[in-house]
């Protein structure tokens, strides 16, 4: 009887480890599939609506035709517009494409700015005299049709 219990212990240990390994593999596969879906098809519309509502609560208008995010390629926003209702007080920006990515290797090396940031066909409007209120609405420095990284 005791010899049967001793022989069952290694079997149980093996099957427990195998079960945990299968669960870990399933979790990693699920994360990779979710990452692929978000990089290929972008964020779901309900997430975009939630982001827009949160920004609107702060007085910021945000629009983007598509937002794709992922571990490997970073975040890519197409046809982006960010502005406030009071253009004479705050800067506004539009761009055909904004791409931001994080280098995990550079982060592990101790570089705390591991970001790559690219803007394509951007337009930035900065008010010169925001303290003037609506009278200074036309006084803006506009940088248009720029590409930056």
């Amino acid at each position: 009887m005791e010899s049967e219990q001793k022989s069952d212990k290694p079997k149980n240990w093996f099957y427990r480890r195998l079960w945990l390994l299968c669960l870990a593999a399933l979790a990693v596969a699920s994360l990779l599939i979710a990452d692929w879906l978000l990089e290929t098809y972008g964020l779901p519309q309900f997430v975009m609506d939630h982001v827009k509502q949160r920004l609107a609560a702060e007085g910021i208008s945000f629009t983007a035709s598509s937002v794709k995010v992922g571990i490997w390629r970073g975040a890519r926003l197409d046809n982006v517009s960010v502005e406030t209702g009071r253009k004479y007080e705050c800067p506004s920006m539009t761009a055909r494409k904004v791409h931001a990515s994080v280098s995990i290797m550079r982060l592990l090396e101790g570089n705390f700015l591991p970001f790559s940031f690219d803007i394509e066909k951007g337009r930035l409007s900065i008010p010169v005299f925001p303290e003037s209120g609506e009278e200074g609405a036309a006084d803006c420095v506009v940088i248009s049709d720029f590409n930056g990284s």
Side-chain angles (χ1 to χ4, degrees), residues 25-126:
L26 182 64
V28 168
S30 298
L31 288 174
L32 290 174
I33 289 170
D35 180 61
W36 176 77
L37 287 171
L38 289 174
E39 284 186 2
T40 305
Y41 298 106
L43 290 177
Q45 190 60 41
F46 73 91
V47 174
M48 289 299 299
D49 292 341
H50 180 71
V51 169
K52 287 178 185 179
Q53 288 174 356
R54 295 287 302 260
L55 290 172
E58 299 296 325
I60 300 170
S61 171
F62 169 78
T63 57
S65 63
S66 72
V67 177
K68 298 178 180 179
V69 296
I71 297 170
W72 310 114
R73 294 185 211 154
R76 179 181 169 170
L77 292 81
D78 293 325
N79 301 317
V80 181
S81 173
V82 180
E83 54 189 31
T84 64
R86 302 176 312 268
K87 291 183 181 182
Y88 52 86
E89 290 181 3
C90 299
S92 63
M93 186 202 72
T94 59
R96 181 186 303 162
K97 181 180 91 169
V98 176
H99 182 253
S101 61
V102 177
S103 171
I104 295 173
M105 291 306 294
R106 287 180 59 192
L107 185 64
L108 293 175
E109 291 171 355
N111 186 352
F112 292 106
L113 295 173
F115 298 101
S116 167
F117 195 80
D118 299 317
I119 297 175
E120 182 180 301
K121 293 281 188 185
R123 181 180 187 278
L124 180 64
S125 176
I126 304 169

